[in-house]
């Protein structure tokens, strides 16, 4: 049985101490096997912000972490560093063994995670997926055991639900989506737009494979940089039935014997707790 916690856009430097404390308390009470952190760990890529973020992640216990940098994690204010060593600060506190394509994969219990670094030194906000990255991720997905839940982690989304957010899609999303779907991805795990949702990504007209693939998106988990009315949020992805026992689980794909589900948890300022909001059968 495997349970993954998905957090994102912590933006250390703008974190809300009460939300941080609640998150820690609630996560420590859950049987989390691995944490996915989908970028924007800091607000301005300052060393003390990375240090505080690291200390917080370590305080959650000895849980494996798969993290990728977001656009806020490369320096905006030091062009020299941005050009020559954009990930120096990130790597100091979150050493990550990316391959030459900026991709890393990990097997976490019964889930296979493939994370891709989509930030670019020459693009401040919008990320990009190169054709080599798209192919590399597809190769790793195909190699993963067929029974595993296969997730791709990318800071910027490949799918959005509001038309106004289309400008925030990672460059190359249109190419990567059909390729990764055909290669067996069950979901794309992202942050960046600070809007939580879990929805199936509709297949395009020209996609030969009609396999379901989900956009698993969370908001900022602990920062003040809330967008519109979306509260702080995280996701739980699990094949452990008791995690989802307490409320209804939606089944938009009409799966017969689903085993993996995902739950959107939102912070409720009244009760000062994260509460499960909507839950879905994924696979
Ligand atoms: Fe962000
Ligand atoms: Fe971002």
């Amino acid at each position: 049985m495997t349970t993954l916690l998905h957090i994102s856009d912590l933006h250390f430097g703008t974190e809300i101490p009460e939300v941080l404390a609640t998150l820690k308390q609630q996560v420590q009470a859950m049987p989390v096997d691995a944490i996915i952190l989908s970028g924007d760990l800091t607000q301005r890529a300052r060393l003390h912000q990375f240090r505080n973020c690291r200390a917080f992640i370590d305080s959650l216990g000895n849980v494996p972490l798969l993290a990728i940098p977001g656009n806020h994690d490369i320096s905006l204010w030091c062009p020299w560093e941005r050009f020559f060593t954009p990930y120096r600060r990130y790597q100091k506190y979150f050493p990550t063994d990316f391959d030459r394509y900026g991709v890393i994969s990990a097997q976490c219990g019964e889930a296979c995670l493939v994370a891709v670094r989509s930030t670019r030194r020459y693009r401040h906000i919008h990320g990009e997926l190169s054709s080599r990255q798209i192919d590399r991720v597809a190769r790793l997905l195909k190699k993963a055991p067929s029974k595993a839940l296969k997730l791709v982690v990318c800071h910027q989304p490949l799918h959005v639900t509001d038309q106004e957010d289309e400008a925030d899609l990672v460059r190359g999303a249109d190419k990567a989506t059909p390729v990764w779907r055909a290669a067996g991805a069950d979901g794309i795990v992202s942050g960046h737009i600070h809007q939580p949702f879990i929805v199936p990504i509709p297949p395009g007209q020209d996609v030969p494979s009609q396999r379901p693939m989900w956009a698993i998106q969370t908001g900022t988990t602990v920062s003040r940089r809330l967008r519109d009315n979306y509260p702080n949020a995280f996701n739980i992805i699990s094949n452990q039935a008791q995690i989802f026992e307490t409320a209804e689980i939606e089944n938009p794909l009409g799966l017969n014997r689903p085993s993996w589900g995902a739950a959107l948890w939102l912070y409720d300022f009244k009760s000062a707790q994260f509460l499960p909001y909507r839950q879905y059968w994924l696979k």
Side-chain angles (χ1 to χ4, degrees), residues 50-208:
F50 280 118
R51 195 182 314 123
N52 291 343
C53 183
R54 181 79 250 180
F56 174 71
I57 295 292
D58 291 346
S59 78
L60 296 176
N62 191 18
V63 186
L65 171 76
L66 185 80
I68 48 169
N71 51 301
H72 279 257
D73 300 319
I74 51 181
S75 171
L76 177 65
W77 40 272
C78 182
W80 182 266
E81 184 181 294
R82 185 180 188 86
F83 189 79
F84 290 105
T85 54
Y87 301 110
R88 185 179 68 84
R89 290 157 188 264
Y90 179 87
Q91 287 283 359
K92 181 174 159 103
Y93 288 96
F94 291 86
T96 311
D97 209 5
F98 287 111
D99 66 14
R100 55 200 280 244
Y101 306 104
V103 173
I104 184 166
S105 65
Q107 186 74 33
C108 296
E110 292 152 76
C112 168
L113 309 178
V114 182
V116 56
R117 199 176 55 198
S118 56
T119 49
R120 295 292 188 267
R121 69 190 88 188
Y122 49 84
R123 275 190 197 282
H124 172 226
I125 298 172
H126 303 299
E128 185 175 82
L129 297 167
S130 67
S131 333
R132 285 176 175 200
Q133 285 181 312
I134 295 170
D135 291 348
R136 175 72 179 147
V137 169
R139 278 204 303 278
L140 290 166
L141 288 168
K142 284 179 190 162
K143 266 208 265 175
S146 56
K147 276 192 168 170
L149 180 80
K150 301 179 197 178
L151 300 175
V152 180
V153 186
C154 177
H155 177 58
Q156 293 90 350
L158 276 79
H159 176 76
V160 290
T161 53
D162 295 343
Q163 210 173 6
E164 62 176 277
D165 291 329
E166 282 176 8
D168 290 314
L169 290 170
V170 66
R171 302 295 179 259
D174 53 333
K175 292 194 185 87
T177 302
V179 173
W180 294 350
R181 188 195 293 272
D186 296 302
I188 312 288
V189 178
S190 302
H192 186 59
I193 53 173
H194 298 201
Q195 181 191 12
F197 58 81
I198 301 176
V199 294
I201 305 177
Q205 302 284 319
D206 55 339
V207 181

